[in-house]
Amino acid sequence: MNRNHAAALLTSIGAFSLSLGGAMAQDNGTMKSMPGMHMDAGAAPSGSAGVKLGDLDISGGYVRAMLPGQPVGGGYITIHNGGKSDDRLTSVTSSAAGKVELHEMKMDGEIMKMREIKGGIAIPAGATVTLAPNTMHMMFKQVKAPFKQGGTVPVMLMFDKAGMVDINLPVVSAKGN
Ligand SMILES: [Cu+2]
């Protein structure tokens, strides 16, 4: 709890100083428009402040506010591996949800489908991996209270090599799913 509280303070400080992480999340070219999908380039106005964990820089995280009746929530984040060895995001947990799964979106014919990524997400040496709408996301299940715009959702990310880190993700507008 104390760690989460400290992270919340850090996150709110970061929100005032246009974090580099947020800028990177918008500039790295992962935002592509796709037929039938809303894309909102302004969806991540700042995101979570940059956090360093070993060789990893983790930034620009956010979750979307949940619409009434929406059973699950979606979250996004950018991870850069500045080291010389590959790492892997193995799992995510949150005190705000019964469980958090890592999902990817895949076109199946003309239908966008999502499925769980088994075994976690590879973060190769030197690579930047972005969980973003239409690619990969954190899926929050058994959510305790619907995510509200302006709030934060605490997550703990677990990596194979770098270990674990607590981050508070700001909740942004629900539109653009
Ligand atoms: Cu999903």
Side-chain angles (χ1 to χ4, degrees):
M1 282 302 162
N2 280 331
R3 279 186 307 166
N4 283 342
H5 195 77
L9 285 172
L10 284 173
T11 303
S12 51
I13 291 162
F16 285 101
S17 63
L18 256 184
S19 81
L20 264 180
M24 277 168 56
Q26 286 169 28
D27 289 343
N28 64 6
T30 55
M31 293 295 201
K32 317 188 251 289
S33 64
M34 257 186 219
M37 303 295 292
H38 288 279
M39 287 308 299
D40 181 0
S46 57
S48 58
V51 171
K52 200 151 174 57
L53 176 69
D55 289 332
L56 305 180
D57 287 297
I58 304 161
S59 62
Y62 63 98
V63 300
R64 286 209 187 282
M66 292 166 66
L67 300 166
Q70 184 181 332
V72 295
Y76 310 93
I77 201 158
T78 296
I79 302 155
H80 172 68
N81 183 351
K84 291 199 159 47
S85 51
D86 297 344
D87 207 337
R88 178 170 291 273
L89 174 60
T90 52
S91 62
V92 179
T93 57
S94 173
S95 58
K99 69 172 172 172
V100 185
E101 295 177 356
L102 297 169
H103 283 186
E104 64 184 335
M105 308 293 287
K106 276 272 160 75
M107 290 304 289
D108 180 0
E110 293 188 350
I111 301 163
M112 182 72 90
K113 288 191 170 166
M114 68 180 173
R115 65 178 180 202
E116 189 170 7
I117 305 170
K118 300 283 185 191
I121 297 172
I123 316 288
T128 300
V129 174
T130 302
L131 280 66
N134 296 334
T135 60
M136 297 178 284
H137 55 271
M138 296 173 266
M139 184 116 274
F140 295 80
K141 296 189 162 178
Q142 298 150 29
V143 172
K144 289 168 186 166
F147 301 160
K148 271 203 176 133
Q149 186 170 358
T152 59
V153 171
V155 290
M156 184 165 72
L157 308 184
M158 267 154 289
F159 295 90
D160 219 10
K161 295 211 174 72
M164 53 186 74
V165 63
D166 288 311
I167 297 178
N168 276 333
L169 304 177
V171 182
V172 307
S173 158
K175 69 183 169 145
N177 280 347

